[in-house]
């Protein structure tokens, strides 16, 4: 517990500096009350993350991977119906490699959004939290 308190004590001045841009961008939401402010900040954060992932990922590559996986799955099911287990296994291995590449390329932009989202959540918790008297 002492380690957590020490970490929070050391990181608080850094976070106060990082909250300044959040105050500029999201400070206007404080006028709507606690619940609506959180709804607005959550909606803006969700839209921002989706737009970032859409425009910062290679959509052309992801589309090709998706279409290739669909074709391979069709060929794999046709090979299973024909009784060719070797071809079905081969198609499955290739589909697995393509799906791994698809997952990596689609998750990479998502990893870049984690620190800003954590910052916005911490800002919302410190600025928009309701604390009764």
């Amino acid at each position: 517990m002492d380690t957590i308190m020490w970490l929070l004590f050391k990181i608080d001045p850094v976070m106060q500096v990082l909250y300044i841009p959040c105050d500029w961008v999201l400070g206007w939401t404080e006028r709507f009350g606690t619940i609506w402010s959180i709804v607005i900040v959550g909606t803006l954060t969700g839209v921002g993350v989706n737009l970032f992932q859409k425009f910062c990922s290679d959509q052309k590559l992801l589309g090709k991977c998706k279409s290739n996986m669909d074709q391979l799955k069709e060929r794999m099911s046709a090979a299973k119906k024909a009784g060719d287990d070797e071809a079905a296994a081969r198609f499955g291995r290739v589909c697995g490699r393509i799906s791994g590449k698809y997952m990596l390329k689609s998750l990479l932009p998502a990893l870049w959004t984690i620190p800003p989202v954590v910052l916005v959540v911490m800002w919302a918790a410190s600025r928009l939290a309701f604390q009764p008297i």
Side-chain angles (χ1 to χ4, degrees):
M1 189 66 171
D2 291 333
T3 307
I4 293 172
M5 294 305 291
W6 178 83
L7 180 64
L8 289 175
F9 182 72
K10 293 293 184 184
I11 202 169
D12 187 51
V14 174
M15 295 309 293
Q16 292 302 323
V17 171
L18 292 175
Y19 288 164
I20 293 170
C22 292
D23 286 334
W24 293 339
V25 175
L26 299 170
W28 59 272
T29 61
E30 293 177 354
R31 297 179 185 166
F32 296 102
T34 303
I35 293 174
W36 285 109
S37 297
I38 292 172
V39 168
I40 292 168
V41 169
T43 302
L44 291 174
T45 304
V47 168
V49 166
N50 283 328
L51 289 174
F52 184 82
Q53 288 180 358
K54 174 77 173 172
F55 292 110
C56 293
S57 63
D58 190 358
Q59 292 293 311
K60 190 174 180 180
L61 175 71
L62 293 176
K64 284 182 183 180
C65 287
K66 189 74 172 162
S67 67
N68 287 344
M69 284 190 299
D70 291 341
Q71 289 175 358
L72 285 169
K73 286 179 184 177
E74 289 175 8
R75 290 181 182 180
M76 187 168 42
S77 66
K80 283 182 183 178
K81 286 180 185 176
D84 191 0
D85 293 334
E86 182 182 327
R90 190 173 58 243
F91 290 137
R93 286 190 301 270
V94 173
C95 187
R97 279 188 270 163
I98 292 173
S99 65
K101 186 175 187 176
Y102 179 84
M103 183 183 70
L104 178 69
K105 293 295 183 179
S106 64
L107 285 180
L108 196 59
L111 293 176
W112 284 102
T113 62
I114 291 172
V117 168
V118 168
L119 175 67
V120 168
V121 167
M122 290 177 69
W123 174 84
S126 72
R127 300 292 200 260
L128 304 177
F130 174 73
Q131 297 178 356
I133 297 175

